[in-house]
């Protein structure tokens, strides 16, 4: 909820991407997209349980469900 709130606070057209949206971002990423090299794991809005959400490793395109108490990057996307 905290990660999604951070994204929404940017404006009504900003949001935390779902796992499917992250997969599309990964498939279409370019070298000029600034992702963290040291920690390329980002939260998604997809949940697998009340205490777990899915993260995307943008370096390798792998998704994993982890406990929400973990600290990971947040990347907001804008609807268009």
């Amino acid at each position: 909820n905290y990660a999604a709130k951070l994204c929404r606070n940017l404006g009504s057209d900003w949001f935390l991407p779902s796992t499917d949206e992250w997969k599309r971002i990964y498939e279409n990423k370019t070298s000029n997209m600034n992702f963290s090299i040291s920690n390329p794991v980002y939260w998604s809005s997809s949940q697998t349980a009340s205490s777990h959400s899915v993260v995307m490793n943008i370096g390798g395109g792998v998704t994993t469900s982890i406990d929400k108490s973990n600290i990971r990057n947040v990347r907001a996307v804008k609807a268009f």
Side-chain angles (χ1 to χ4, degrees), residues 2-29:
Y2 182 72
K5 184 178 179 180
L6 288 173
C7 296
R8 278 193 309 273
N9 285 345
L10 296 172
S12 61
D13 51 350
W14 289 90
F15 63 96
L16 183 64
S18 68
T19 303
D20 290 338
E21 291 161 332
W22 263 121
K23 287 178 182 176
R24 287 194 297 260
I25 292 168
Y26 174 77
E27 291 167 358
N28 295 293
K29 72 177 181 163

Side-chain angles (χ1 to χ4, degrees), residues 44-57:
S44 78
S45 62
S46 302
Q47 296 185 98
T48 56
S50 62
S51 62
H52 285 70
S53 285
V54 179
V55 293
M56 169 63 126
N57 183 321

